[in-house]
């Protein structure tokens, strides 16, 4: 398509999205103020800004040109294919196959025989242990077991772009392949950015609303809707309640995340997961799946091995790889530890040389279409009232508050001070009955749901910044406050993740005992003398009993 065609289509998409967005909500003041100037400016700016991403995504067979989005579904995904896993494994190990054929046949069955019996699995594990004694661990990912096996057999070539990397990426992808039963939209459509959160005061119930809900003046962060649409790296990944109903793409999203990528960089940002449960909580598995699908798609389009290293977006060594754009007025949720944002670097990305991703930019005023860095109105177009919406009296100045129905109104100073309470989180006034005191702060019900969680242990609300997202003994994801965390959990010295105390082993070292979780414990030895889990001292002795620990070569 020519650029003018793309712009004209974007205008149509934005107009339709705003019509869909308002049809079920009682609050349309912002939507009523949207002008042609705004729609034209946003469509033009976004179409040009996203051109590099459009050129990349449009190479995919699942690119939908009409909605400016990839649509990943069951026809694009599949469950692991045992024969492909077997063939890829043979190709990777072919140079050593005939030297170790019997053990390799048994070992490879662990990966491609998806219905392996317990007895057969043990034979596979025994074969792996003979080939590579340190490769297997009961909780170790199969792809990591296979790579350790390759390393031990001398076939792992970690040179960027090597045949091993290419084949191993395909092997690992096939092991973790998953056929999905839903449609995942990966979009650069400005209409989808505007409607990234569902409308506030939806008659069907408020699900997946947030400070980015475009029809709300409660927060200033909805400036980010057009701010994301106008940068050159952001795209939005989401699901909807009913893909058969096109309007739900604009007013009934069920999950959504902002991603950012500059084609060819190998550097990917994944921000907070928002879902109908209220945010990050309960969305970790969906978040992992979405990241995996996006990484696979981008790597395939750029003809690169799908090998990525992923870390928290607040990681001290990587946080400098992403920065907010000038004038961005949205909520930069990837900068908060508890929102589970991630940065991924592909093997072809040099983190010391790569240009950081710039995410977000100035938004646009819905009335005049000029740039603004807060809210959906510029200063000149802001509409100030002159009468109190509570008592009806005329006054020199009014103040914005939320009434008992959740609508934004303007009231006089007396009504504000007598009937409303200031929320320390959103810095807005709310009805007294809708404000709660939590840890010494006044918090409205919206902010409580947005930023606070109930501790799984003490059943009290606390701010997520003062809580830890972790797992309980049953493997369920939970929030716990810091006090309860310190009482019932310990931080693994190896991976720095918190685990329940009964999932922690204290490993003896030359510097004292250190807590290690079950995921990391297989990296430590068991002393054959005292049977304690240990880290061997520098002089080769056990720090617990002093016994001399022989190396594998010495034992042989």
């Amino acid at each position: 398509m020519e650029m003018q065609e793309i712009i004209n289509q974007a205008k149509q998409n934005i107009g339709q999205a705003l019509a869909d967005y308002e049809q079920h909500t009682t609050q349309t003041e912002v939507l009523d103020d949207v002008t042609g100037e705004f729609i034209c400016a946003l469509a033009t700016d976004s179409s040009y800004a996203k051109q590099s991403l459009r050129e990349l995504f449009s190479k995919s067979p699942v690119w939908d040109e009409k909605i400016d989005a990839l649509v990943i579904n069951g026809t694009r995904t599949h469950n692991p294919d045992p024969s492909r896993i077997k063939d890829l494994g043979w190709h990777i190990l072919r140079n050593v196959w005939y030297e170790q054929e019997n053990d390799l046949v048994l070992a490879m069955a662990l990966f491609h025989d998806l219905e392996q019996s317990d007895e057969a699995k043990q034979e596979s594990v025994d074969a792996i242990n003979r080939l590579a004694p340190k490769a297997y661990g009961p909780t170790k990912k199969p792809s990591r077991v296979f790579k350790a096996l390759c390393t031990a057999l001398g076939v792992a070539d970690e040179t960027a772009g090597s045949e091993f990397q290419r084949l191993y990426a395909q092997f690992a992808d096939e092991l973790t392949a998953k056929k999905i039963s839903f449609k995942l939209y990966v979009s650069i459509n400005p209409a989808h950015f505007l409607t990234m959160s569902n409308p506030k005061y939806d008659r069907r119930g408020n699900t997946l609303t947030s400070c980015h809900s475009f029809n709300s003046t409660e927060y200033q962060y909805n400036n980010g809707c057009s701010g994301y649409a106008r940068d050159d790296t952001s795209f939005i990944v989401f699901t909807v309640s009913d893909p058969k109903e096109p309007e739900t793409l604009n007013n009934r999203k069920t999950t959504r995340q902002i991603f950012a990528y500059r084609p060819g960089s190998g550097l990917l940002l994944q921000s907070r997961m928002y879902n109908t449960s209220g945010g990050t909580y309960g969305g970790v598995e969906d978040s992992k799946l979405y990241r995996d699908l996006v990484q696979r798609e981008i790597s395939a389009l750029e003809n690169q091995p799908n090998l990525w290293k992923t870390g928290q977006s607040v990681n001290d060594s990587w946080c400098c790889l992403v920065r907010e754009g000038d004038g961005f007025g949205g909520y930069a949720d990837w900068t908060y530890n508890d929102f589970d944002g991630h940065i991924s670097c592909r093997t072809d990305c040099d983190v010391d040389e790569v240009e950081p991703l710039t995410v977000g930019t100035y938004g646009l005023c819905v009335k005049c279409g000029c740039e603004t860095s807060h809210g959906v109105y510029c200063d000149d177009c802001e509409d100030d009232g002159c009468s109190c919406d509570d008592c009806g009296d005329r006054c020199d100045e009014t103040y914005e508050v939320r009434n008992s129905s959740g609508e934004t109104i303007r009231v006089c100073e007396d009504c504000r001070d007598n009937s409303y309470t200031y929320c320390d989180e959103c810095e807005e006034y709310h009805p007294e009955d809708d404000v709660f005191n939590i840890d010494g702060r006044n918090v409205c019900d919206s902010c409580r749901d947005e930023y606070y969680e109930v501790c799984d242990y003490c059943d009290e609300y606390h701010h997520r910044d003062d809580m830890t997202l972790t797992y309980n003994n049953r493997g369920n994801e939970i929030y716990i406050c810091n006090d309860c965390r310190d009482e019932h959990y310990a931080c693994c010295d190896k991976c720095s993740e918190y685990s329940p105390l009964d999932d922690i082993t204290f490993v003896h070292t030359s510097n004292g005992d250190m807590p290690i979780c079950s995921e990391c414990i297989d990296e430590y030895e068991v002393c054959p003398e005292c049977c304690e889990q240990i880290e061997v001292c520098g002089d080769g002795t056990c720090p617990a009993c002093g016994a001399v620990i022989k190396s594998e070569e010495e034992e042989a």
Side-chain angles (χ1 to χ4, degrees):
M1 292 176 67
E2 297 295 328
M3 181 55 69
Q4 192 55 52
E5 293 179 278
I6 294 171
I7 293 171
N8 290 339
Q9 180 176 272
K11 290 179 184 178
Q12 295 175 8
N13 286 335
I14 294 170
Q16 185 61 56
L18 294 174
D20 292 339
Y21 201 70
E22 73 174 346
Q23 66 174 305
H24 297 292
T25 182
T26 59
Q27 183 163 314
T28 64
E29 289 86 351
V30 171
L31 302 173
D32 293 340
D33 282 338
V34 172
T35 64
E37 287 83 357
F38 168 79
I39 293 175
C40 183
L42 181 61
T44 302
D45 293 350
S46 180
S47 296
Y48 277 106
K50 306 295 186 188
Q51 183 61 5
S52 292
L53 285 171
R54 183 178 296 106
E55 289 174 357
L56 176 64
F57 290 168
S58 62
K59 298 175 184 177
S60 172
V62 295
W63 173 252
D64 188 328
E65 189 176 67
K66 292 182 179 179
I67 62 171
D68 244 7
L70 299 166
V71 185
I72 301 173
N73 55 29
T75 64
R76 185 66 168 165
T77 61
H78 63 275
N79 289 322
D81 181 346
S83 62
R84 179 165 168 75
I85 294 171
K86 187 175 181 179
D87 289 345
L88 286 167
W90 186 89
H91 277 291
I92 293 171
L93 298 170
R94 64 187 183 279
N95 290 334
V96 295
W97 189 268
Y98 296 108
E99 302 170 11
Q100 307 281 354
E101 182 173 0
N102 292 334
D103 276 342
L104 282 176
V105 169
L106 290 172
M108 286 306 300
L110 181 70
F111 307 105
H112 67 73
D113 187 349
L114 305 183
E115 298 181 357
Q116 207 176 24
S117 67
D118 291 342
E119 182 180 355
K121 179 178 179 180
Q122 187 57 53
E123 290 179 354
S124 294
V125 171
D126 291 342
I128 291 173
N129 287 336
R130 287 192 293 272
L131 294 166
K134 295 184 179 181
Y136 180 77
T139 60
K140 208 171 185 179
K141 291 181 179 179
S143 59
R144 292 185 179 179
V145 174
F146 182 75
K147 178 174 267 191
L149 175 64
C150 292
T151 300
L153 294 174
V155 300
D157 179 2
E158 297 294 355
T159 306
S162 67
E163 182 185 26
F164 171 77
Q165 278 201 344
R166 180 178 61 83
L167 292 174
Y168 172 73
Q170 296 176 38
F171 183 87
D173 281 351
E174 200 62 43
L175 284 178
T176 58
K178 183 176 182 180
K179 185 175 180 63
I180 63 174
S181 58
F182 57 90
K183 287 187 176 181
L184 185 71
Y185 295 87
V186 180
S187 175
I188 56 173
N189 189 335
H192 296 153
F193 284 104
L194 284 188
T195 60
M196 66 170 66
S197 290
N198 296 335
K200 292 272 188 170
Y201 315 114
D202 192 317
R203 297 184 185 92
R204 300 166 297 178
N206 288 327
T207 60
L208 212 165
T209 60
S210 78
C211 58
H212 284 100
S213 291
F214 191 64
N215 67 323
S216 172
T217 57
E218 180 180 359
Y219 304 104
Q220 299 294 304
Y221 293 123
N222 54 358
N223 175 269
C225 298
S226 55
Y228 280 125
R230 298 178 70 238
D231 74 18
D232 60 1
T233 62
S234 298
F235 55 97
I236 181 170
V237 175
F238 63 93
T239 59
V240 300
S241 61
D242 186 1
K244 295 178 183 178
E245 293 292 338
E247 66 157 292
T248 64
L249 274 68
N250 300 317
N251 64 24
R252 215 61 178 169
K253 293 180 176 67
T254 50
T255 63
R256 64 97 167 155
Q257 289 181 296
I258 294 294
F259 281 71
Y261 186 74
R262 186 174 57 257
S265 68
L267 177 63
L268 178 71
L269 169 70
Q270 177 190 33
S271 73
R272 179 190 182 187
M273 164 69 77
Y274 289 81
N275 56 29
T276 54
S277 299
T280 306
Y281 186 73
V284 171
E285 289 306 314
D286 284 339
S287 187
K288 288 180 180 178
L289 175 59
Y290 296 178
R291 183 170 68 246
D292 178 59
L293 292 171
V294 169
Q295 288 175 344
R296 289 175 189 239
E297 197 71 29
I298 289 176
S299 295
L301 295 177
E302 295 188 326
N303 196 29
Q304 289 288 341
N306 185 35
L307 297 174
W308 302 74
K309 183 177 181 181
T310 298
Q312 297 291 325
S313 57
V314 294
N315 184 301
D316 289 341
S317 60
W318 280 10
C319 61
C320 60
L321 298 178
V322 179
R323 60 193 178 202
E324 289 183 53
D326 292 340
F328 180 57
Y331 192 60
D333 45 38
W334 66 87
T335 62
Y336 293 87
N337 186 59
D338 290 338
F339 285 166
D340 200 35
H342 291 85
I343 294 175
S344 298
C345 294
R346 206 167 52 202
T347 52
D348 57 308
C349 175
D350 185 344
V351 295
D352 295 324
E353 299 292 337
V354 68
E355 179 185 347
L357 294 173
T358 300
V359 181
T361 186
Y362 288 94
L364 297 178
C365 171
V366 297
K367 283 190 174 181
C368 67
C370 71
E371 288 188 340
T372 179
S373 60
H374 63 281
V376 292
Y377 298 98
C378 66
D379 292 340
D380 291 339
C381 293
E382 189 74 45
D383 184 20
D384 294 324
C386 57
S387 65
C388 176
D389 289 335
D390 253 5
C391 66
D393 290 346
R394 300 288 296 178
C395 50
D396 294 332
E397 187 175 3
T398 58
Y399 304 87
E400 191 174 276
V401 300
R402 302 288 288 179
N403 66 13
S404 58
S405 299
E407 300 170 330
T408 301
I409 62 173
R410 300 192 71 87
V411 301
C412 65
E413 186 173 9
D414 286 344
C415 286
R416 183 198 67 180
D417 294 344
N418 293 331
S419 303
Y420 296 84
T421 300
Y422 186 75
C423 171
D424 291 323
E425 282 289 347
C426 65
E427 299 181 349
E428 299 284 349
Y429 282 88
H430 299 263
E432 289 183 352
D433 292 342
D434 294 340
V435 178
F436 310 88
N437 189 274
I438 303 176
D439 293 338
R441 292 173 62 81
N442 289 328
V443 182
C444 69
D445 54 358
S446 295
C447 287
R448 183 190 63 182
D449 295 341
E450 185 80 12
Y451 305 115
Y452 290 73
E453 294 289 346
V454 175
C455 174
D456 198 66
Y457 279 86
C458 66
D459 291 327
E460 297 287 340
Y461 274 99
H462 301 277
H463 198 287
R464 291 194 190 98
D465 287 348
D466 298 324
M467 304 183 78
T468 297
L469 181 63
T470 184
Y471 296 88
N472 60 19
N473 290 321
R474 299 181 297 278
N476 297 326
E477 191 179 65
I478 62 169
Y479 272 101
I480 57 174
C481 68
N482 291 343
D483 289 341
C484 291
R485 180 199 67 192
D486 294 342
E487 182 177 353
H488 300 287
Y489 281 69
C491 184
C492 173
D493 269 14
K494 185 68 176 177
C495 65
S496 300
E497 296 290 338
Y498 280 91
S499 296
L501 287 174
D502 55 7
D503 195 35
I504 290 289
T505 300
F506 283 88
V507 174
H508 299 290
T509 75
S510 57
N511 295 320
D513 293 350
M514 63 180 182
I516 301 295
C517 70
S518 59
E519 292 286 329
C520 300
I521 195 64
D522 60 352
E523 299 185 26
Y524 296 87
E525 297 187 33
V526 174
C527 175
E529 295 297 327
C530 65
C531 298
E532 294 289 333
Q533 208 86 35
I534 63 169
E535 181 180 69
V536 179
C537 296
D539 60 0
T541 61
C542 169
C545 68
V548 175
I549 308 299
K550 294 182 179 180
S551 65
E552 294 179 5
E553 291 78 6
E554 292 173 329
E555 290 179 349

